[in-house]
Amino acid sequence: MKHSIFNFFHLLWTTCRLVLAASLILTTACLETGCSLPSGDSFEPAELLPGWKQETVTITLPDYPAESHPPLAGWKILYWNQDGGSTQYLSPGQQQVSITMEKNIPSAILCYPLTTVTGSSVSFFHPAGCVYPYSYRASWEEGFTAETFFQLTQSKSLEEIHSSPLLRFNWSRLTQQITKKIQQAQKKGTVFSPWFLQQELLKTHIQQGTASTRSIKQETILRLERTELYQQELSQQEAPSNQLYYRYIPSGIVQETIYFPQTEGYSLHQENAFLQGNEIVSCFTKKNQKPVLVTIGIERYTDK
């Protein structure tokens, strides 16, 4: 009987040793191969942590409407990465740009078309853009989204950006809402530019973490017939029939009616600027007087 009990405990001890050895072997194998034991929910991948890993991405630029717009002199690319704001310049023929980013950390990429006016390289038109890592193809529609994001990063340190609502905001949905407004305007036969939106209000709500679809509000838009415009104080004294270009490229050339945000004096809003011939002009009016186009020059739009 004692012998049987001894054999039983000996067998039990041997079995325990085998189980322990098997557990050690399995644990070692998991550590070496990167597998995980079913001990609970896994953590987020380490590469999602800011600064943990970088990757070089290729951003595709949009088509520039060279057949209807001034000659393209090149592209100015602005973006934010772990080094802060960075700039690259591309030749007119380049359609892609390589950028090194913090992997999977949202970042704005802006693509400004530089055009030739009176022999100078001018940054007049609004940028195309995209928000990494949600998109790798810059579009004119997403330029407003990217610029809004980029502007909000300018006054913040990297630590502030990583802990701010900027990285949690749904940038893709903002672009979707803008696209929806563009489509609605097209159905009505009107002109809509994302830059007609109240950008400062939107930026405030994003920083506060309270932004919603109600934050996407449009300025009051003024509509004027081209025939109502007078042309004076223009150095070239160009005919009123000359083409006027909106700053938002998809809006194209002003047709019979000109659209822009209504402000006192008309010329206070950045969307009152239009490219005409070799000059940049602005709509301006005084009380009880018809609006006129006034030259505001190209100096502030010239890329040095």
Side-chain angles (χ1 to χ4, degrees):
M1 183 70 177
K2 292 183 179 180
H3 183 70
S4 298
I5 294 175
F6 175 79
N7 288 340
F8 171 77
F9 281 106
H10 178 73
L11 177 62
L12 180 62
W13 172 243
T14 302
T15 302
C16 291
R17 292 177 63 188
L18 289 174
V19 171
L20 179 60
S23 298
L24 290 174
I25 294 173
L26 179 60
T27 301
T28 303
C30 285
L31 291 174
E32 291 178 351
T33 60
C35 69
S36 59
L37 293 173
S39 56
D41 295 332
S42 62
F43 291 100
E44 290 294 323
E47 59 264 30
L48 292 181
L49 296 176
W52 178 271
K53 192 173 182 180
Q54 297 179 358
E55 70 170 344
T56 299
V57 299
T58 299
I59 303 300
T60 301
L61 277 62
D63 292 329
Y64 176 80
E67 67 285 349
S68 60
H69 282 65
L72 182 65
W75 296 87
K76 179 180 181 180
I77 313 299
L78 294 180
Y79 55 95
W80 176 88
N81 59 13
Q82 69 281 353
D83 299 321
S86 299
T87 306
Q88 288 191 39
Y89 289 91
L90 306 181
S91 65
Q94 289 183 263
Q95 283 294 110
Q96 294 184 325
V97 58
S98 295
I99 299 174
T100 300
M101 316 293 290
E102 286 188 90
K103 189 172 183 179
N104 293 331
I105 302 301
S107 180
I109 301 165
L110 300 173
C111 306
Y112 289 89
L114 305 179
T115 55
T116 302
V117 179
T118 62
S120 299
S121 177
V122 176
S123 179
F124 168 76
F125 294 104
H126 285 305
C130 61
V131 176
Y132 164 88
Y134 311 115
S135 174
Y136 295 84
R137 181 177 293 274
S139 68
W140 303 111
E141 293 80 7
E142 198 170 355
F144 175 84
T145 302
E147 187 181 78
T148 300
F149 190 177
F150 188 85
Q151 288 180 357
L152 287 172
T153 65
Q154 297 309 287
S155 59
K156 293 179 172 58
S157 66
L158 296 180
E159 292 75 15
E160 290 174 329
I161 293 173
H162 289 152
S163 61
S164 75
L166 297 182
L167 303 189
R168 300 188 297 274
F169 181 72
N170 193 333
W171 297 101
S172 296
R173 190 178 182 193
L174 173 58
T175 300
Q176 292 170 3
Q177 291 296 315
I178 289 173
T179 302
K180 182 178 179 179
K181 288 184 175 293
I182 292 173
Q183 293 171 346
Q184 291 173 343
Q186 290 174 342
K187 290 180 180 179
K188 296 178 181 178
T190 60
V191 170
F192 175 80
S193 166
W195 277 268
F196 287 169
L197 298 177
Q198 297 180 27
Q199 191 178 36
E200 292 305 315
L201 173 66
L202 176 61
K203 289 194 295 186
T204 298
H205 288 181
I206 292 174
Q207 290 188 101
Q208 293 174 345
T210 60
S212 68
T213 53
R214 294 184 178 181
S215 306
I216 308 175
K217 294 184 178 181
Q218 181 174 295
E219 302 277 5
T220 301
I221 302 300
L222 184 64
R223 300 170 177 82
L224 287 175
E225 298 297 321
R226 281 289 301 266
T227 54
E228 295 181 23
L229 293 176
Y230 279 71
Q231 196 103 351
Q232 66 181 37
E233 300 184 33
L234 297 177
S235 61
Q236 300 295 326
Q237 290 297 317
E238 300 186 17
S241 60
N242 256 22
Q243 293 177 334
L244 289 175
Y245 293 93
Y246 288 103
R247 294 188 65 194
Y248 178 54
I249 281 185
S251 295
I253 301 170
V254 173
Q255 303 300 326
E256 292 80 8
T257 306
I258 183 172
Y259 297 82
F260 53 91
Q262 183 176 4
T263 54
E264 183 180 357
Y266 287 12
S267 59
L268 300 180
H269 197 283
Q270 62 172 348
E271 292 308 297
N272 279 353
F274 302 90
L275 177 62
Q276 178 178 252
N278 292 326
E279 303 200 290
I280 294 173
V281 298
S282 176
C283 282
F284 180 80
T285 189
K286 295 181 180 178
K287 189 175 182 180
N288 299 324
Q289 293 184 11
K290 287 189 175 182
V292 297
L293 290 179
V294 180
T295 301
I296 59 176
I298 65 170
E299 291 80 9
R300 75 186 205 188
Y301 294 98
T302 301
D303 191 77
K304 299 297 184 183

